[in-house]
Amino acid sequence: MFDFTLKKDIKVETIKTIIDKFCFCYHQDFRFTYTKSQDWIKGDQDPSDLAASLIASLNSWGAGRRKAPRLRSQEEVAAALSAPHVRERLIRLREYALGNSKKSISDDLFEITKHLAETLFVSNATTLTYPMKACLLLSGACVAFDGNVRSGLFKLGYRGLSTPIAVPY
């Protein structure tokens, strides 16, 4: 199991500093896709526009390279986002991420991550890294355990995050 014990002397400014050190493209991709996602959640955005943004951001973040899973077509991703339960789960995850919900997100997180793993990627995503990156881009919730995040968490005192987490089927 993972040790999620945080050093007692870690301050919000320290976390902010580590996030600010991420490549600027990560910040741009997140802002662009997250904004489109929030518009889509409100009903002001076509799912195909959101799908295009999500695909571009995930590709920028490494999807389809090395052993990372490849994404499906824009039409298939738009259809996956249009599934009836997706919007509601992303709304609950967003509310949790914003601190507006005291409810547990574990069921929503598991279900949406599993759905994204099965429907966004050509080759099944066998780790949670890319489905959780998609979840992060869409809802603002969930830590995507990629190398940048693991490195930042390690600097904050978290241990045990060096191995990808398998998708629980």
Side-chain angles (χ1 to χ4, degrees):
M1 221 28 154
F2 299 112
D3 175 9
F4 286 106
T5 307
L6 186 60
K7 288 182 180 176
K8 292 180 179 24
D9 60 338
I10 298 298
K11 297 181 177 33
V12 172
E13 284 302 313
T14 306
I15 296 169
K16 183 182 178 303
T17 300
I18 289 170
I19 291 171
D20 287 346
K21 288 182 181 179
F22 285 6
C23 173
F24 185 67
C25 68
Y26 278 82
H27 296 278
Q28 288 178 309
D29 291 338
F30 176 80
R31 184 179 306 116
F32 184 66
T33 302
Y34 181 73
T35 301
K36 285 192 176 285
S37 175
Q38 298 318 293
D39 290 343
W40 171 76
I41 283 173
K42 290 185 245 175
D44 299 337
Q45 182 80 36
D46 184 285
S48 64
D49 291 338
L50 175 56
S53 175
L54 181 61
I55 290 168
S57 292
L58 288 171
N59 281 332
S60 172
W61 289 11
R65 285 184 261 162
R66 297 183 303 221
K67 295 181 181 179
R70 289 184 308 117
L71 286 150
R72 294 184 186 275
S73 71
Q74 182 176 338
E75 294 77 22
E76 291 170 303
V77 171
L81 294 172
S82 297
H85 63 282
V86 172
R87 187 182 310 257
E88 291 78 22
R89 286 204 166 103
L90 289 174
I91 289 170
R92 288 193 295 267
L93 289 174
R94 179 189 66 185
E95 291 303 307
Y96 182 84
L98 294 172
N100 297 334
S101 175
K102 304 262 189 250
K103 294 180 181 178
S104 169
I105 64 164
S106 59
D107 289 342
D108 287 322
L109 179 58
F110 174 77
E111 291 300 326
I112 194 67
T113 305
K114 185 174 186 288
H115 174 76
L116 295 174
E118 293 171 347
T119 60
L120 298 186
F121 302 96
V122 173
S123 53
N124 265 351
T126 57
T127 69
L128 288 176
T129 302
Y130 282 89
M132 287 194 71
K133 285 180 181 187
C135 197
L136 172 67
L137 288 163
L138 294 169
S139 71
C142 314
V143 175
F145 294 98
D146 70 352
N148 288 317
V149 173
R150 284 194 308 269
S151 173
L153 290 171
F154 185 82
K155 290 174 187 173
L156 290 176
Y158 286 103
R159 302 293 183 262
L161 297 174
S162 61
T163 310
I165 301 167
V167 175
Y169 283 104

